[in-house]
């Protein structure tokens, strides 16, 4: 028996393995009716004292939270299936999509601010989204006392602003330098977040070239119209019904004034690929150069000079300060403002340029209206020439390093050039320091489940960079680097806000000081793997005796048969995002990466920032490889926190495989998602095929297999005989799954348009082939209780044959998506190797879980226990729990809490629950809410 330190002995006693309670779902030939009454009663359970403040804030009634003053009866807030074998509490109106009228009516409006022309403080600042992962374009903040402007809103902008305390409610305008997933991927989530703030919600004005219309049209699929009314495009518009359009200039390269007030004038110059007519330009190819000009400020009035020129104190002083000449009171002369005023303070000028290709560069070099801003000696200077103080380059390194671009930069004379395109220098400097710090601590405690981040070494990167031509002096952008515009005396770079790098050793030293016993804990965790190696030599597997047992792993000493002779390169589950609703400092939104190693990979849900999380886990090159090897992306439902990272992933895969023979990526999701993707593909090609989740249910697969078998007569699947058969099968599926009177009717409405199984046939055929190549036996979607067209998924691996000819069953993974506990989920979980279940709320908030059709921690665990799941991984936690959720350890003997970047290898599943108490030790000082100002109470 190994030594256990006194501190740890106190922490982990009494023993962690409790006796099992009676299973929630009885697995017998004639099961008794299933009831959730015991769960509903748990709403009165006591909660940790450290969460008393949260309890006061969060225990509001459904009427207060969602009803907008409308009383909700029990029949409206809970539902009961028609099938008498089960009953459970859920919000029927929400599940059917009829709860919109229950929500407070909001009409987000633009903010009206009283401007301050003198602006005591003004600057531009680099917001380093994507600088460490190269997955999205950095943003730039233009700051004034009473106004804020942001240029570009790539994925991760919300999370960045939360991390660095940039108040989203203060943002007035967002300008896009291009309209694509790289620059605008964060817009959907940002708009939804702003709309949810306060009583009426907030709104910003979105500006972009005419391509913005395509993005707005796509977002209408899942964002309320009122949230997007303040979008304005400029340039010649291909369509006119989406965003309001500014009058196009006579020449495409003429400046378009977008904002002009006492504080700033912002103009846009369109860049299009050289030598292309307007009709030849494809959506997404238009780029923008923005010019931000601050007005000149008058110098200070000097009363001594005025007195010397014979003026008496009085109204004439004011007239002179307003630019009017006056007659002297004592002398026979006219006094002009220049006689009594200090020299005027010049208005600083900032240019932001995004020149994505060499073709755009040719157009940039020919723009005549920029001549008035060139101040180098070769330019023809005039009195109207304006001096540019700062140029921020969003252009890629391949363009910036070209000789022509360098010569163009030199035309701006002494202007400060900041290179904000993706650079190698910032790759190893985490932008999200809070998350990186937590990841480092987790890696120290348990490197097996929390591998070190996969960033490449700087030495490797520097060796891959070729020589670059540098005619013009410039500096690389750094996160939070500022260029001060006012006070004018401080004009120039300000590095004081650049975060100080924190090394791994410093994080661990702090951890040892904070939790002295963590070193012993880390040693104990390492010993689990030695014990696992020894136990595999003696522990029986569940099918050694040839008898099928419903719940073979009720004791921890029995392994499921699928883990016999398992290899580490068979399966790895990577939790990329484990939070709900919106990104926070510590948890990104939903995404699960299923790594099948040499056989490819799948993504289950793809919330905003998924690509960035992949790059943090595997490194830039490793993530690119993962994207190339994707076999399929599966989306559970249409809520934004589950799919708004999809376009960026698909766009990168398209670029990585350009010129390489490949098949379009298959995306499986609810039918509403197809409307969004179809509309978005008018903006940029996503190189994908879509399959409705309803076409991958068990009933649909049975129909497909039956049709395939009947196709042996030689007729094609599209022939009238088989079309009729498919229509009859589809009718049968709808009658059993969606029809009125079935147990699913309460939370999955009869679809407005039926599934066309004949159209799905070739996609199902491709999917079946893909599953075979990936070593999978089945991918089955099943309906769950959350919103219309919400699904969970089952993945089953094919059987294996051991070296001695023994048939070993394949593993089974179940992912719940967002849901209340329901019979369909329990049925799907029977004998699962791993159940990944949402646990949005703690046990004391069961009423809120019912109102929003989510699950509590206890409910999720009891679903897994009743279905005989071997391991349960809880995820999708409310962002009110910033680091670790509140949970009761009583029934956690087969369960673990998920964290971002957690990587669970199938060979390590026996160890998984044993790590949980040590994770609780790691976060023992973090139980409570520390982000209350940044968390929105808007769980979806």
């Amino acid at each position: 028996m190994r030594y256990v330190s006194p501190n740890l002995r106190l922490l982990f006693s009494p023993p962690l393995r409790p006796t099992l309670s009676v299973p929630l779902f009885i697995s017998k030939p004639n099961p008794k009716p299933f009831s959730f009454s015991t769960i509903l009663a748990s709403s009165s359970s006591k909660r940790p004292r450290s969460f008393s403040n949260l309890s006061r804030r969060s225990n509001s009634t459904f009427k207060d939270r969602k009803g907008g003053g409308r009383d909700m009866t029990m029949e409206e807030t809970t539902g009961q299936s028609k099938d008498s074998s089960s009953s459970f509490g859920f919000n029927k109106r929400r599940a059917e999509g009829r709860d919109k009228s229950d929500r407070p009516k909001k009409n987000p409006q633009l903010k009206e601010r009283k401007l301050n022309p003198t602006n005591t403080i003004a600057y531009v600042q680099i917001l380093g989204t994507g600088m460490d992962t190269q997955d999205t374009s950095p943003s730039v903040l233009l700051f004034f006392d009473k106004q804020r402007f942001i240029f570009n809103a790539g994925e991760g902008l919300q999370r960045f602003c939360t991390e660095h305390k940039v108040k989203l409610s203060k943002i007035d305008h967002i300008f896009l330098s291009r309209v694509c997933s790289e620059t605008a991927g964060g817009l959907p989530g940002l708009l939804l977040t702003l709309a949810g703030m306060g009583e009426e919600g907030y709104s910003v004005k979105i500006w972009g070239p005419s391509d913005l219309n395509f993005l707005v049209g796509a977002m209408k699929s899942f964002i309320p119209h009122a949230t997007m009314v303040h979008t304005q495009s400029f340039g010649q518009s291909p369509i006119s019904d989406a965003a309001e359009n500014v009058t196009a200039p006579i020449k495409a390269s003429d400046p378009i004034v977008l904002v002009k007030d006492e504080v700033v004038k912002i103009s846009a110059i369109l860049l299009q690929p050289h030598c292309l007519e307007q009709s030849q330009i494809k959506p997404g190819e238009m780029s923008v150069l923005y010019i931000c000009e601050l007005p000149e400020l008058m110098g200070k009035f000097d009363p001594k000079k005025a007195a010397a020129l014979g003026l008496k104190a009085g109204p004439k002083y004011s007239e002179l300060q307003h630019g009017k000449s006056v007659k002297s009171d004592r002398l026979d002369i006219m006094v002009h403002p220049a006689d009594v005023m200090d020299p005027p303070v010049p208005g600083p000028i900032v240019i932001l340029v995004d020149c994505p290709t060499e073709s755009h560069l040719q157009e940039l070099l020919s723009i005549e209206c920029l001549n008035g801003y060139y101040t180098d000696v070769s330019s023809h200077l005039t009195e109207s020439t304006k001096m540019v103080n700062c140029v921020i380059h969003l252009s890629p390194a391949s363009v910036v390093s070209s000789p022509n671009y360098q010569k163009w930069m030199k035309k701006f004379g002494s202007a400060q050039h900041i290179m904000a395109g993706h650079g190698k220098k910032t790759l190893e400097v985490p932008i999200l320091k809070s998350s990186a710090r937590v990841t480092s601590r987790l890696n120290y405690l348990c490197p097996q489940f929390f591998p070190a981040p996969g960033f490449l070494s700087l030495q490797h990167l520097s060796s891959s960079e070729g020589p670059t031509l540098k005619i013009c002096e410039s500096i690389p952008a750094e996160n939070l680097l500022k260029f001060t515009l006012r006070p004018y005396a401080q004009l120039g770079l300000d590095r004081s806000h650049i975060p100080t790098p924190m090394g791994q050793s410093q994080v661990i030293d702090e951890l040892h000081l904070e939790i002295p016993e963590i070193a012993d804990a880390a040693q104990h965790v390492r010993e689990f793997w030695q014990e696992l190696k020894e136990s595999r030599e003696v522990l029986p597997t569940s099918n050694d005796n040839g008898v099928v047992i419903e719940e073979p792993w009720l004791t921890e000493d029995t392994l499921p048969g699928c883990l016999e002779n398992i290899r580490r390169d068979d399966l790895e589950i990577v939790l990329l995002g484990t939070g709900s609703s919106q990104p926070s400092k510590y948890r990104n939104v939903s995404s699960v990466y299923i790594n099948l190693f040499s056989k490819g990979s799948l993504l289950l849900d793809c919330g905003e920032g998924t690509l960035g999380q992949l790059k943090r886990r595997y490194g830039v090159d490793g993530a690119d490889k993962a994207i190339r090897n994707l076999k399929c992306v599966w989306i559970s439902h249409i809520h934004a926190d589950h799919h708004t990272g999809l376009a960026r992933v698909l766009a990168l895969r398209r670029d990585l495989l350009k010129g390489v023979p490949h098949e379009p990526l298959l995306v499986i999701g609810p039918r509403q998602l197809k409307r969004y993707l179809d509309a978005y593909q008018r903006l940029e090609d996503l190189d994908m095929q879509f399959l409705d989740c309803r076409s991958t249910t068990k009933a649909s697969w049975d129909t497909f297999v039956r049709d395939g078998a009947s196709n042996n007569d030689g007729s094609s699947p599209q022939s009238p005989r088989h079309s009729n058969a498919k229509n009859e099968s589809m009718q049968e599926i709808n009658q059993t799954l969606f029809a009125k009177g079935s147990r699913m009717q309460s939370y999955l409405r009869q679809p407005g348009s039926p599934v066309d199984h004949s159209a799905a046939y070739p996609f199902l055929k491709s999917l079946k082939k893909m599953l075979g190549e990936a070593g999978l036996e089945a991918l089955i979607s099943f309906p769950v209780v959350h919103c219309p067209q919400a699904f969970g998924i089952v993945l089953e691996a094919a059987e294996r044959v051991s070296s001695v000819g023994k048939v070993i069953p394949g593993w089974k993974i179940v992912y719940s998506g967002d849901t209340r506990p329901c019979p369909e989920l329990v049925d799907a979980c029977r004998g699962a190797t791993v159940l990944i279940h949402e646990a949005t709320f703690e046990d004391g908030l069961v009423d809120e879980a019912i109102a929003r059709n989510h699950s509590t921690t206890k409910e999720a665990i009891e679903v897994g226990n009743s279905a005989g799941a071997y391991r349960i991984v809880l995820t999708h936690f409310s962002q009110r729990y910033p680091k670790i959720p509140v949970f009761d350890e009583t029934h956690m003997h087969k369960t673990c809490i998920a964290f971002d970047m957690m990587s669970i290898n199938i060979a390590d599943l026996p160890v998984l629950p044993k790590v949980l108490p040590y994770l609780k030790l790691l976060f023992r000082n973090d139980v409570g809410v520390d982000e209350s100002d940044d968390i929105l109470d808007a769980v979806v």
Side-chain angles (χ1 to χ4, degrees):
M1 180 177 178
R2 66 171 181 264
Y3 168 75
V4 179
S5 69
N7 287 333
L8 289 178
R9 188 179 296 116
L10 288 173
L11 176 69
F12 299 134
S13 61
L16 289 174
R17 193 165 88 192
T19 58
L20 279 177
S21 61
V22 177
L24 183 59
F25 299 83
I26 309 298
S27 301
K28 292 183 178 180
N30 296 304
K32 295 181 180 180
F34 157 71
S35 173
F36 264 87
S37 59
T38 55
I39 297 179
L40 300 182
S42 68
S43 61
S44 61
S45 60
K46 294 182 180 180
R47 304 175 63 201
R49 181 175 300 176
S50 60
F51 272 73
S52 58
N53 61 331
L54 178 62
S55 177
R56 289 193 297 270
R57 190 185 74 175
S58 301
N59 271 347
S60 58
T61 64
F62 179 67
K63 172 183 173 182
D64 295 336
R65 286 293 187 111
K66 305 293 284 185
R70 180 179 179 273
D71 288 318
M72 304 294 290
T73 65
M74 181 58 69
E75 286 77 12
E76 290 173 304
T77 57
T78 63
Q80 180 170 328
S81 67
K82 301 295 183 182
D83 190 330
S84 62
S85 66
S86 61
S87 63
F88 51 90
F90 69 100
N91 183 346
K92 180 178 179 181
R93 293 175 60 83
R94 181 175 176 85
E96 294 179 340
R98 297 187 293 113
D99 63 332
K100 294 181 181 178
S101 60
D102 303 333
R103 304 170 189 171
K105 299 294 184 183
K106 289 189 174 185
N107 185 22
Q109 297 295 319
L110 292 174
K111 299 166 285 294
E112 295 184 6
R113 306 189 191 279
K114 185 177 180 180
L115 302 181
N116 175 16
T118 58
N119 272 296
T120 55
I121 299 176
Y123 57 81
V124 286
Q125 186 173 31
I126 304 297
L127 307 184
T129 53
M131 290 180 66
D132 55 344
T133 52
Q134 299 192 356
D135 63 306
T136 189
S137 172
S139 298
V140 178
L141 171 67
L142 176 59
F143 179 98
F144 297 99
D145 290 338
K146 301 293 183 180
Q147 279 187 305
R148 314 281 194 276
F149 304 87
I150 282 185
F151 296 84
N152 287 344
E155 291 185 31
L157 179 60
Q158 274 192 90
R159 197 176 185 194
F160 179 95
C161 291
T162 301
E163 169 90 11
H164 297 287
K165 301 190 183 302
V166 177
K167 294 291 185 181
L168 292 173
S169 59
K170 300 291 185 181
I171 305 300
D172 297 296
H173 300 264
I174 294 178
F175 299 89
L176 301 178
S177 63
R178 283 177 288 133
V179 184
C180 60
S181 59
E182 184 181 1
T183 59
L187 269 185
L190 182 64
L191 291 175
L192 287 169
T193 296
L194 288 169
M197 286 182 171
E199 293 295 326
E200 291 298 326
Y202 291 90
S203 183
V204 296
K205 194 157 192 176
I206 312 295
W207 300 84
S210 56
D211 302 342
L212 179 61
N213 294 295
F214 293 109
L215 181 61
V216 171
M219 290 192 299
K220 284 182 178 178
S221 302
F222 62 94
I223 296 182
H225 175 71
T227 307
M228 298 189 299
V229 293
H230 306 295
T231 53
Q232 195 154 1
S233 64
F234 46 85
Q236 296 187 12
S237 177
I239 54 177
S240 58
D241 61 346
E244 184 181 348
N245 192 265
V246 177
T247 303
I250 299 175
K251 294 175 61 178
S253 59
D254 286 347
I256 307 167
V257 178
L258 306 178
V259 175
K260 188 175 183 180
D261 54 33
E262 311 95 291
V263 171
V264 67
K265 181 177 83 170
I266 299 179
S267 306
I269 298 176
L270 292 172
L271 291 178
Q272 61 189 43
H274 189 60
C275 296
L276 286 182
E277 298 294 333
Q278 185 70 29
S279 60
Q280 296 177 301
I281 299 175
K282 298 178 182 178
E285 290 185 338
M286 191 73 72
S287 183
V288 185
L289 179 148
Y290 288 103
I291 303 175
C292 308
E293 301 178 72
L294 279 63
E296 181 180 82
L297 296 181
M298 295 184 64
K300 290 185 178 181
F301 177 79
D302 191 339
K304 292 182 179 179
K305 290 183 180 180
L309 294 174
L311 285 173
K312 298 178 181 178
K316 292 183 179 180
Y317 278 18
S318 178
E319 292 182 42
L320 285 166
Q321 292 179 60
H322 283 84
K324 297 180 180 179
S325 298
V326 299
K327 185 174 177 60
S328 173
D329 296 314
R330 296 188 178 92
L331 303 175
D332 188 20
I333 58 172
M334 292 294 295
V335 180
H336 303 287
D339 299 330
V340 294
M341 303 286 291
D342 289 341
V345 179
I349 298 175
V350 177
I351 291 179
L352 294 94
V353 57
D354 186 350
C355 183
T357 68
E358 289 281 352
S359 183
H360 288 82
L361 175 56
Q362 294 181 52
E363 183 73 12
L364 177 64
L365 298 176
S366 64
I367 294 178
E368 296 179 359
C369 63
L370 286 176
N371 291 338
Y373 298 91
Y374 297 149
T375 57
D376 67 320
V377 292
S378 63
S379 302
H380 300 288
L381 301 180
T382 65
E383 292 184 1
S384 62
T385 298
K386 301 177 181 180
M387 178 174 291
V388 176
N389 302 93
C390 180
V391 183
I392 299 176
H393 302 267
L394 301 172
S395 311
S398 59
V399 174
V400 169
S401 60
S402 69
N404 286 336
Y405 196 96
Q406 291 281 316
K407 291 177 182 177
W408 177 78
M409 290 171 57
K410 194 175 182 182
K411 289 185 177 182
F412 292 101
S414 60
Q416 176 65 67
H417 294 273
I418 301 176
M419 316 311 290
H422 292 318
K424 304 296 186 182
K425 178 179 179 182
T426 57
L427 269 178
E428 282 195 338
V429 182
I431 298 301
L432 303 174
K433 290 185 65 176
S434 298
S435 175
R437 182 172 177 270
V438 168
T439 301
S440 294
R441 291 160 69 107
L442 287 165
N443 170 254
Y444 173 79
L445 176 66
C446 183
Q448 293 85 356
F449 286 140
F450 301 96
F455 288 126
L456 299 174
S457 68
L458 289 176
Q459 181 179 1
H460 172 73
L461 289 168
S462 61
S463 64
S464 64
E465 289 184 337
T468 57
L469 176 66
K470 191 172 182 181
I471 298 176
C472 185
E473 286 299 319
S474 61
I475 63 165
E478 296 181 72
N479 186 31
L480 300 183
L481 173 68
K482 283 184 180 181
F483 187 91
T484 301
L485 304 174
R486 286 189 177 142
Y488 192 77
Q490 300 176 16
L491 183 74
L493 293 171
D494 177 2
R495 300 177 180 271
S496 61
H497 292 82
I498 297 175
T500 304
M502 178 177 289
Q504 171 86 357
S505 58
Q506 184 179 351
V507 173
I508 302 310
D509 288 345
E510 291 180 356
L511 177 59
H512 284 148
L513 290 174
E514 180 183 336
I515 307 174
E517 58 268 41
I518 199 66
D520 286 340
Q523 177 59 34
H524 295 162
V525 170
R526 286 192 292 271
E527 291 175 4
F528 287 148
W529 270 261
Q530 180 60 35
E531 293 176 357
L532 176 63
K533 181 179 179 181
E534 296 171 356
S535 68
R536 283 207 174 103
E537 301 173 1
V538 296
L539 286 183
T541 53
S542 60
N543 60 349
D544 280 350
N545 55 10
V547 179
V548 177
I549 304 173
E550 182 67 29
E551 296 181 2
W553 33 85
L554 286 177
T555 68
E556 293 180 9
D557 296 330
T558 305
L559 291 176
C562 63
L563 296 187
E564 182 178 351
N565 296 328
I566 198 73
R567 292 165 54 98
R568 297 196 67 84
D569 59 356
D570 279 348
L571 168 69
E572 182 182 53
I573 303 171
V574 182
L575 286 302
L576 297 174
T578 58
S580 68
S581 184
Q582 66 187 72
S584 73
K585 285 201 294 187
Y586 305 106
R587 293 185 184 272
N588 203 52
V589 287
S590 295
S591 185
V592 181
Y593 178 67
I594 304 298
N595 185 7
L596 303 174
F597 297 92
S598 62
K599 298 177 182 178
S601 59
L602 296 85
L603 271 176
L604 310 182
D605 279 335
C606 191
E608 178 187 337
T610 292
L611 178 58
Q613 293 290 86
L614 268 174
K615 297 207 173 193
R616 292 182 182 94
R617 169 61 181 87
Y618 292 107
V620 173
D621 290 343
D624 287 351
K625 181 180 179 181
I627 295 298
R628 287 191 193 95
N629 293 335
L630 268 180
K631 298 290 187 181
C632 171
V633 178
W634 182 91
I635 304 297
S636 61
H637 62 289
I638 195 60
H639 286 161
D641 58 323
H642 291 258
H643 74 83
T644 50
L646 180 57
R648 187 75 196 102
V649 167
L650 294 175
L652 177 61
R653 180 181 181 272
R654 173 204 65 207
D655 294 341
L656 291 172
L657 295 177
K658 191 173 183 179
V660 178
H662 67 279
E663 294 292 328
L665 186 66
L666 184 62
V667 175
I668 305 173
R671 70 180 186 275
Q672 306 101 311
L673 181 65
K674 185 177 189 300
R675 290 200 293 269
Y676 166 65
L677 294 174
D678 286 347
Y680 189 92
Q681 287 202 109
R682 299 177 66 191
L683 176 62
E684 58 177 333
D685 177 32
L686 296 179
D687 191 24
M688 50 76 65
Q689 296 174 328
F690 184 84
L691 184 61
D692 195 315
C693 278
R694 293 175 295 172
S695 296
T696 60
T697 61
K698 188 177 187 305
S700 295
W701 276 113
D702 290 344
T703 302
F704 170 76
V705 172
R706 190 162 59 244
D707 290 343
S710 65
N711 197 32
N712 291 331
D713 61 2
S715 59
S716 69
Q718 285 74 28
S719 67
R721 174 189 301 181
H722 291 286
S723 295
N724 291 335
K726 289 180 178 64
N727 291 334
E728 293 173 3
S729 300
M730 183 202 74
Q731 185 178 3
E732 176 186 341
I733 292 168
N734 281 340
Q735 286 175 347
T736 58
L737 185 62
F738 303 107
K740 189 173 183 178
S742 72
R743 63 182 182 178
M744 292 304 300
Q745 175 61 20
S746 296
Y747 46 92
L748 190 58
R749 293 185 297 173
Q750 175 73 19
S753 56
V755 181
D756 185 355
H757 286 272
S758 60
Y761 188 94
F763 298 127
L764 286 171
K765 192 173 182 180
S766 297
L767 175 57
K768 190 170 182 62
K769 178 184 176 184
M770 179 276 290
L771 293 175
E773 294 171 349
L776 299 177
E777 183 70 25
L779 182 157
I780 300 173
S781 302
F782 57 91
V784 295
V785 185
H786 182 56
C787 65
Q789 301 295 311
F791 294 88
I793 186 175
V794 176
L795 291 175
E796 294 185 24
E799 294 178 339
R800 294 177 289 125
V801 179
S802 69
S803 57
V804 296
K806 180 180 179 181
V807 177
I808 301 174
W811 46 260
K812 177 180 178 180
I813 296 175
V814 179
Y815 172 51
S816 71
D818 286 7
T819 185
R820 289 290 296 147
C822 61
E824 279 65 26
L825 175 58
V826 177
D827 290 344
C829 293
R830 300 286 180 202
T833 315
V834 180
L835 166 61
I836 306 171
H837 199 300
E838 73 118 295
T840 308
F841 294 105
E842 60 183 283
D843 298 339
L845 296 179
V846 67
D847 290 339
E848 193 159 353
I850 291 174
R852 303 189 184 192
N853 282 344
H854 284 291
S855 299
T856 66
T857 299
K858 182 179 180 182
E859 289 173 332
I861 294 171
E862 293 200 14
V863 166
N865 285 341
S866 64
Y870 174 60
R871 291 292 179 253
I872 305 168
V873 179
L874 302 182
T875 185
H876 195 268
F877 303 110
S878 169
Q879 302 291 17
R880 71 186 70 196
Y881 316 119
K883 292 183 181 177
I884 191 167
V886 177
F887 59 90
D888 183 354
E889 291 185 52
T890 306
H891 303 293
M892 302 291 279
H893 63 285
K894 62 167 68 173
T895 305
C896 196
I897 300 295
F899 294 85
D900 283 16
M901 304 301 169
M902 189 175 192
S903 302
I904 305 170
N905 192 286
I906 190 170
D908 297 331
L909 286 179
V911 177
L912 186 61
K914 300 179 181 180
V915 176
L916 182 60
Y918 297 88
L919 295 175
K920 193 171 183 180
L921 167 68
L922 184 66
F923 294 103
R924 71 180 184 187
N925 299 326
D926 299 307
V927 179
V929 175
D930 66 353
E931 295 182 21
S932 56
D933 293 337
D934 301 316
I935 301 289
L936 294 185
D937 195 12
V939 178
V940 293

